[in-house]
Amino acid sequence: MTTVLCVPQWQGSASERAPLLASGARRTAELLRADTVVSVPIAGGSDEITDDITDGIRARGVLVENLKLTGDVLAKIDDFVITVGGDCGVDIAPIAAARQRYGDQLTVLWIDAHPDVYGPGDLPSGAFHGMVVRTLLGDGPALLTPAQTLAPAQVILAGVRTGGASEREYLRTTGLRVHGVDQLEKAFDGLSGPTYVHVDLDVLDPTEFGSVCYPEPDGVRSSRLVELLSQLDNVVGAAITEHAPVGDNPGEADIIRRLGAALHR
């Protein structure tokens, strides 16, 4: 049984297009095959981008409340869950739940054009979606950090092709495994044991999928990613995030369907 968990949170992004992430989450949920679709009644429904930055985090209060709401809904689901967002911050609660269930055996495969390892205060925008991996490792804002955090050996970054100076330094000091577009297959090599898969749609080449807030050139082709995901065993949870559609795009809708089918369990 597969449940799609729709979390239409957009406040973790500081892009002018960020409010589109809410409709993007709902559209993604419609496109995926599932036995059940459950939506989180998120806080902060306004589409006004706030300038309120607390402890280096924009809209921190909304994000903290949404984290609790997502965790509460997730605790009532006993299926395989594909979480759809929304910004990448929607995956804190699902990955924390997987960490609690599978412990040190869990591997998180984070497929994203960006490494998402900024720390609080590193980004003038305060955009939390650029801090999610670092937060899962225990080096993020306290109110958004899970009780049980990941070790660097449990995280693999794939499709990364950009990043700031502070991110590069963090990656160097932690020794996180990072694989660019040309090395994508290496991120999948030898994966065994329970694996959680996070897909940020900006990992895809923007000439093929452009409905994201922060497109980066020279990305992954969707057919290549679908093939790799389809070959994974022991996937215990997954997420598709950062869909920011302006209108209906049949080609992009088909890509989301194929990604969902590759992740479906």
Side-chain angles (χ1 to χ4, degrees):
M1 301 285 284
T2 295
T3 292
V4 166
L5 179 66
C6 178
V7 190
Q9 172 181 285
W10 58 270
Q11 291 87 350
S13 172
S15 168
E16 292 181 355
R17 293 165 54 91
L20 294 173
L21 295 170
S23 57
R26 289 186 280 268
R27 177 59 176 150
T28 302
E30 292 171 355
L31 292 169
L32 299 189
R33 178 165 58 95
D35 299 289
T36 308
V37 177
V38 178
S39 295
V40 175
I42 68 159
S46 169
D47 62 1
E48 181 178 350
I49 299 175
T50 179
D51 291 327
D52 175 29
I53 297 178
T54 303
D55 295 334
I57 310 297
R58 183 187 295 267
R60 187 188 68 173
V62 170
L63 299 177
V64 170
E65 186 171 353
N66 287 343
L67 176 59
K68 181 181 183 304
L69 290 167
T70 304
D72 289 345
V73 172
L74 191 61
K76 300 174 184 176
I77 301 172
D78 193 27
D79 293 338
F80 178 84
V81 175
I82 301 178
T83 301
V84 297
D87 64 73
C88 285
V90 306
D91 224 7
I92 291 282
I95 292 177
R99 170 68 176 85
Q100 185 174 21
R101 182 170 184 177
Y102 297 101
D104 295 342
Q105 300 304 309
L106 179 71
T107 296
V108 173
L109 179 60
W110 192 270
I111 305 172
D112 196 324
H114 310 88
D116 294 349
V117 292
Y118 283 110
D122 287 348
L123 284 171
S125 69
F128 178 66
H129 72 162
M131 312 177 198
V132 179
V133 171
R134 189 162 175 161
T135 300
L136 289 165
L137 291 165
D139 294 325
L143 293 178
L144 292 164
T145 299
Q148 296 183 36
T149 57
L150 299 169
Q154 293 180 266
V155 178
I156 301 173
L157 304 181
V160 173
R161 55 190 185 275
T162 188
S166 64
E167 289 190 293
R168 291 192 294 272
E169 176 62 17
Y170 185 80
L171 293 173
R172 186 188 66 80
T173 58
T174 57
L176 283 173
R177 289 170 285 175
V178 183
H179 301 280
V181 175
D182 292 342
Q183 304 169 319
L184 191 67
E185 283 77 9
K186 290 184 178 180
F188 290 75
D189 285 349
L191 273 179
S192 62
T195 302
Y196 188 100
V197 180
H198 172 97
V199 178
D200 182 326
L201 291 167
D202 68 24
V203 77
L204 299 172
D205 193 279
T207 62
E208 188 178 19
F209 197 103
S211 295
V212 295
C213 292
Y214 294 95
E216 300 290 347
D218 303 319
V220 177
R221 302 301 296 182
S222 64
S223 57
R224 182 183 179 196
L225 182 56
V226 167
E227 181 180 2
L228 289 168
L229 292 174
S230 298
Q231 296 171 3
L232 279 178
D233 293 325
N234 298 320
V235 176
V236 297
I240 299 175
T241 65
E242 301 282 346
H243 185 201
V246 174
D248 187 39
N249 185 315
E252 293 184 345
D254 183 61
I255 288 171
I256 290 175
R257 288 192 191 95
R258 289 190 288 117
L259 287 171
L263 293 168
H264 190 276
R265 296 294 185 272

